[in-house]
Amino acid sequence: MPDCHTRVASAPRLISWNITLRCPLKCTHCYAKAGEHESVGVLSTDEALAVIDQIRDVGTPVVVLSGGEPLMREDLCTIARYGTDRGLPMVMGTSGYLLDRSMAQKLRDAGIRTVAVSIDSADPAVHDSFRGVSGAWERAVQAIRNCREAGIGVQINMTIMRPSAGDVDSVVELGKDLGVFDYQVFFPVPTGRAQDSAPLDPWEYEDVIRQVLLKYRNTDVRLRPTCAPQFRRIAEELGIGDQAWGRGCIAGISYCRIYADGAITPCPYLPVSAGNLRTTSFSKIWYQSPVFSVLRNPDLLTGKCGVCEYRTICGGCRARAYRGTEAVLHRWCDGLLQPGAIAGELCSEDPWCPYEPGGMA
């Protein structure tokens, strides 16, 4: 590993946890290849509760129960209730396919504060084609209604499968009609089932980011582009700021992912294991993992990212940088690798960012 120049790390602010890899849908862009079969070695209920205790030892980050489809895990509410009782803000990410009124009430009683429901298009046919199951859109919309009726906060997560600001606008308008004003707009990273998707045009997506930031500035819509850290540069160029945004890429800095078997990675799209909770404590992994130490040091960035004037607020997508140009040309699957296999690749330039830094001159 390169010299990590170890720095004092802050406690995590956000943790995404794949508590299951089972899912009733067949989403074309699923990074985890979730489906009808469970992950090998998935954490048991007792192990999951022990993970909650370990997380609580380092602070009170927001814990996102995700999947697969988290509602397919029978002990979901047990895990959520335990985290809530330990003082952790517990939220959930879901397709909404299984979230009926009864389940919404159970989630509220378990202390789930917010549910993020995935809607990729305001057009039911388009959404269902991405999700691989007819009727998925209708169920997602009803899930939002069910959550709001139960008094649970709602966020809409949208994955942009084609570079169109109009698609974002239509989803936001749909959401506003449902009483939703919080949105995360995901820019797909070609992992899992998305590995065979058509290459993305960085310039087209830059234009989408620019249009979306301009349209929703100074509005009641709270929108954050995700998996496109260059949005911070674009926002700076436009004179747009939001203290809630934080750094563009937060992988390993204020955020990490817990995989179904207890492995910890910097983010869901960066399949590099920093350790496993079955053998190492969360605290030790978070504060001492060489993988995280590297990601927290902007001085180790190389290529364009290393000389970019926006490197401290953007950082480049570390998942795309992980394989260099292969992230665009060849892509990879979600098999977890050990840190010794990646060396300096974590610090490479983001091949999806077309910006030429002033330091390159």
Side-chain angles (χ1 to χ4, degrees):
M1 298 293 291
D3 183 6
C4 298
H5 303 300
T6 303
R7 301 184 176 196
V8 177
S10 299
R13 296 176 56 192
L14 180 67
I15 296 173
S16 178
W17 185 357
N18 300 128
I19 61 173
T20 179
L21 292 191
R22 285 182 292 163
C23 184
L25 305 186
K26 303 173 184 177
C27 305
T28 58
H29 52 289
C30 180
Y31 64 81
K33 292 186 177 180
E36 60 182 286
H37 300 296
E38 185 57 276
S39 172
V40 175
V42 64
L43 297 175
S44 67
T45 300
D46 287 344
E47 288 176 316
L49 301 186
V51 167
I52 293 289
D53 288 334
Q54 291 189 43
I55 293 172
R56 188 62 184 84
D57 286 343
V58 302
T60 55
V62 175
V63 177
V64 184
L65 300 178
S66 182
E69 173 50 66
L71 290 169
M72 292 195 75
R73 180 145 176 166
E74 293 77 6
D75 58 359
L76 168 66
C77 289
T78 299
I79 296 171
R81 182 73 258 170
Y82 189 78
T84 298
D85 290 344
R86 295 286 280 121
L88 296 176
M90 303 297 290
V91 303
M92 187 181 78
T94 176
S95 67
Y97 194 76
L98 302 175
L99 212 170
D100 58 18
R101 285 185 175 180
S102 174
M103 180 53 68
Q105 293 292 330
K106 292 177 182 177
L107 293 174
R108 183 199 62 186
D109 293 343
I112 292 291
R113 297 187 180 187
T114 302
V115 169
V117 179
S118 297
I119 295 185
D120 301 318
S121 174
D123 183 336
V126 173
H127 175 90
D128 289 358
S129 70
F130 290 155
R131 298 287 161 175
V133 174
S134 297
W137 186 91
E138 292 286 351
R139 291 203 185 193
V141 169
Q142 187 59 48
I144 291 174
R145 296 191 179 105
N146 295 338
C147 286
R148 285 185 47 76
E149 182 180 296
I152 300 174
V154 178
Q155 172 182 295
I156 288 179
N157 288 351
M158 175 188 184
T159 298
I160 298 184
M161 300 303 291
R162 54 189 181 187
S164 169
D167 286 350
V168 178
D169 293 340
S170 62
V171 169
V172 170
E173 289 306 309
L174 168 66
K176 288 169 65 177
D177 288 343
L178 294 167
V180 180
F181 294 89
D182 291 289
Y183 300 82
Q184 288 228 22
V185 179
F186 288 79
F187 290 77
V189 179
T191 59
R193 276 198 290 268
Q195 63 182 320
D196 294 322
S197 59
L200 308 176
D201 185 327
W203 287 110
E204 290 181 327
Y205 279 90
E206 287 242 335
D207 188 52
V208 171
I209 294 171
R210 186 170 288 104
Q211 291 182 55
V212 167
L213 289 176
L214 283 170
K215 177 159 187 175
Y216 297 107
R217 69 188 301 182
N218 303 322
T219 71
D220 55 0
V221 170
R222 294 173 291 275
L223 185 150
R224 187 191 194 281
T226 301
C227 301
Q230 64 267 41
F231 91 89
R232 287 300 317 274
R233 165 181 52 82
I234 297 171
E236 287 283 318
E237 293 170 344
L238 297 172
I240 300 173
D242 187 331
Q243 291 184 344
W245 281 339
R247 190 175 186 265
C249 181
I250 59 176
I253 298 172
S254 59
Y255 168 68
C256 69
R257 181 270 293 264
I258 301 175
Y259 196 59
D261 65 356
I264 294 183
T265 74
C267 84
Y269 302 103
L270 184 49
V272 179
S273 176
N276 192 294
L277 295 172
R278 282 192 162 117
T279 58
T280 311
S281 71
F282 182 88
S283 176
K284 185 173 183 179
I285 294 172
W286 179 258
Y287 288 112
Q288 299 181 29
S289 165
V291 171
F292 289 162
S293 294
V294 164
L295 291 170
R296 292 165 186 159
N297 190 349
D299 294 338
L300 295 179
L301 293 173
T302 61
K304 291 194 302 182
C305 289
V307 297
C308 184
E309 59 270 37
Y310 297 102
R311 64 179 179 160
T312 58
I313 65 169
C314 169
C317 176
R318 295 300 94 208
R320 292 187 175 93
Y322 167 63
R323 288 297 194 192
T325 54
E326 289 185 14
V328 175
L329 300 178
H330 302 297
R331 299 172 284 279
W332 68 94
C333 300
D334 197 41
L336 302 186
L337 302 180
Q338 296 303 311
I342 48 88
E345 292 177 355
L346 283 175
C347 305
S348 302
E349 68 179 52
D350 181 350
W352 201 54
C353 178
Y355 178 71
E356 292 296 332
M360 296 288 286

